[in-house]
Amino acid sequence: MSVFAPASPFADFIYRHFRAIHALKLGLALLIAVTINAIWSPPHFIWSMVTIVIIMMSLPQVGGAIEKSLQRAVGTCLGSAYGVMLVATIDSYWLIMGLLILGVTLICFISAGRYSYAYLVAGFTIIIVVGDANHDTSEALWRTANILLGCVIAILVSLFIFPIKAKQDWRSQLANAIDSMAKVLTQHLQAPANHDLDFRAELEAAMKAVLTQKKLFFSLEWESQTLKKHKVLLAELVNKQVRLITLLELLPLSRWQEADKEAYHQINRVAAELTAYLHRLSEFVAGKTATLPTLPSALEQELQHRLQLSLAAQTPNSAPLVNEVAQGFALTGYGWLIYQLAIAVEALYADIEIIEIAYSGQTVLHKTAKPS
């Protein structure tokens, strides 16, 4: 099923109430851990509960919980193995502490990027295991076992109990960003000449939605093999949304006099078509329409031709030369802005089409937008 397919009532219910559901899932995971402790009473059981809270508290999505659980498990095993080796094979206190410091320092040096959390866990696990170098490894092994138990509980609860999918959040944030941009363009086109409307709230909402999409990338990779294969495309999609937002920030700077109204209205008729395209794209991404809307073929060339015709028709013969130059520059600049918006909208359509076709198992040639 496509990531843009209409969500089931169950998935929609989970997404709308994900905060409450996430809190209940965390409580359930802790209840499972407490029940295990009541039955078997393993030593240092508290580490299971600590692990569950660390993993699940800030990561409601399935993919994020799996990612963090695996990193914590790997970091714990590596750190525990190194610490146990030190206390089991070395008698000198200073040599053990020296190798502990060396190990943590090296981890700090190489810690970076996607797996930085695993490095962090490995570092503090070494310190926990070695402790005061009293050569008692049983405590370290029990702590490791309890941490791994906490990871398993967190993964199972995230996967099988009302799973909160990052895909649903990602598509919702993408739809919100596109819808906010369409609203900005709509308000601009409906405003009078020399308006002083402030679009910052809408554009900030769009940028916030774009940044949220970036935070979901790792979770998306764990949840969808299709999106994992197109992770570069997801980053490009973010960049193209940022480009659209940047272009829309220039709209309030455009000004015209009453005498220029007809020229700008001709250009705005082109911009109004872009608004309609954005609205339809937002509805598709949100799952409100079943099929991806299509853009006219050769959209860029058609818009460029129409904009040039509208500009050529507007030259007030009665105005002084300096006014003609100023008006021509303003109209040309505004026409360029609308043309660049058209290119950005077409590029956005192309990336979303690639993702949609990838889910259907077809192949598609990657489309590239003209350089601005």
Side-chain angles (χ1 to χ4, degrees):
M1 180 183 293
S2 171
V3 69
F4 302 121
S8 66
F10 178 71
D12 186 60
F13 172 82
I14 290 177
Y15 182 70
R16 285 188 289 109
H17 303 285
F18 82 93
R19 291 185 182 277
I21 291 174
H22 179 225
L24 290 174
K25 289 174 65 174
L26 176 60
L28 176 61
L30 292 174
L31 178 60
I32 293 172
V34 169
T35 303
I36 292 173
N37 180 57
I39 297 173
W40 286 290
S41 299
H44 306 289
F45 161 75
I46 195 66
W47 284 98
S48 292
M49 300 183 70
V50 169
T51 299
I52 290 171
V53 171
I54 290 175
I55 291 173
M56 296 186 65
M57 181 74 78
S58 60
L59 293 169
Q61 294 88 5
V62 171
I66 295 174
E67 167 91 8
K68 196 164 187 177
S69 295
L70 291 177
Q71 289 202 39
R72 187 170 180 85
V74 170
T76 297
C77 290
L78 293 177
S80 179
Y82 182 75
V84 169
M85 181 197 70
L86 291 182
V87 298
T89 60
I90 300 174
D91 292 328
S92 170
Y93 171 83
W94 287 108
L95 182 56
I96 290 177
M97 290 304 175
L99 291 174
L100 179 150
I101 294 171
L102 177 63
V104 175
T105 303
L106 288 175
I107 289 173
C108 178
F109 178 75
I110 64 176
S111 175
R114 176 170 182 170
Y115 303 106
S116 58
Y117 181 67
Y119 291 120
L120 170 66
V121 172
F124 70 67
T125 300
I126 294 173
I127 297 173
I128 291 172
V129 169
V130 173
D132 57 359
N134 62 6
H135 294 80
D136 181 9
T137 59
S138 63
E139 181 177 340
L141 294 176
W142 275 114
R143 285 178 176 175
T144 301
N146 278 291
I147 289 173
L148 295 178
L149 175 62
C151 291
V152 171
I153 293 173
I155 290 176
L156 292 178
V157 172
S158 296
L159 271 174
F160 299 112
I161 307 298
F162 294 105
I164 302 172
K165 298 296 184 70
K167 292 188 294 184
Q168 180 75 2
D169 195 11
W170 174 76
R171 64 181 276 183
S172 177
Q173 296 297 335
L174 177 59
N176 289 341
I178 297 173
D179 189 56
S180 294
M181 290 185 277
K183 287 179 180 177
V184 168
L185 193 53
T186 299
Q187 291 177 28
H188 170 75
L189 296 178
Q190 293 175 349
N194 295 314
H195 68 79
D196 57 353
L197 293 178
D198 189 353
F199 300 136
R200 282 179 296 179
E202 289 84 357
L203 293 175
E204 286 175 1
M207 184 58 74
K208 183 178 179 180
V210 172
L211 294 176
T212 302
Q213 293 170 45
K214 291 187 67 174
K215 293 178 182 178
L216 294 170
F217 282 178
F218 290 157
S219 297
L220 290 172
E221 290 183 30
W222 283 101
E223 291 183 14
S224 170
Q225 287 298 313
T226 301
L227 292 179
K228 185 176 182 179
K229 293 176 183 177
H230 292 80
K231 58 184 179 181
V232 175
L233 187 63
L234 294 180
E236 292 177 357
L237 194 59
V238 163
N239 293 335
K240 287 168 184 175
Q241 291 173 76
V242 172
R243 172 170 171 73
L244 260 172
I245 292 171
T246 303
L247 291 169
L248 290 171
E249 286 177 337
L250 299 176
L251 283 178
L253 303 179
S254 59
R255 295 289 185 270
W256 62 84
Q257 302 301 319
E258 191 65 25
D260 309 324
K261 182 172 64 174
E262 182 56 33
Y264 276 94
H265 280 185
Q266 289 191 36
I267 298 176
N268 284 345
R269 278 193 277 272
V270 175
E273 296 180 20
L274 299 180
T275 304
Y277 298 146
L278 284 173
H279 276 302
R280 289 198 291 268
L281 184 60
S282 173
E283 290 179 350
F284 168 74
V285 171
K288 296 178 181 178
T289 56
T291 57
L292 176 68
T294 56
L295 291 176
S297 58
L299 173 67
E300 296 171 29
Q301 293 83 351
E302 178 187 348
L303 292 182
Q304 186 179 35
H305 177 66
R306 288 168 59 187
L307 289 170
Q308 287 174 342
L309 289 178
S310 66
L311 293 174
Q314 307 299 324
T315 306
N317 297 325
S318 59
L321 179 61
V322 64
N323 289 340
E324 292 181 19
V325 173
Q327 183 196 45
F329 177 79
L331 288 172
T332 303
Y334 186 63
W336 174 88
L337 175 59
I338 299 303
Y339 177 60
Q340 292 301 317
L341 281 171
I343 294 176
V345 170
E346 189 176 39
L348 197 64
Y349 258 82
D351 284 353
I352 292 175
E353 181 183 22
I354 292 172
I355 294 174
E356 172 66 6
I357 293 178
Y359 268 92
S360 66
Q362 303 174 21
T363 57
V364 61
L365 294 176
H366 284 254
K367 299 179 183 180
T368 54
K370 287 184 177 181
S372 55

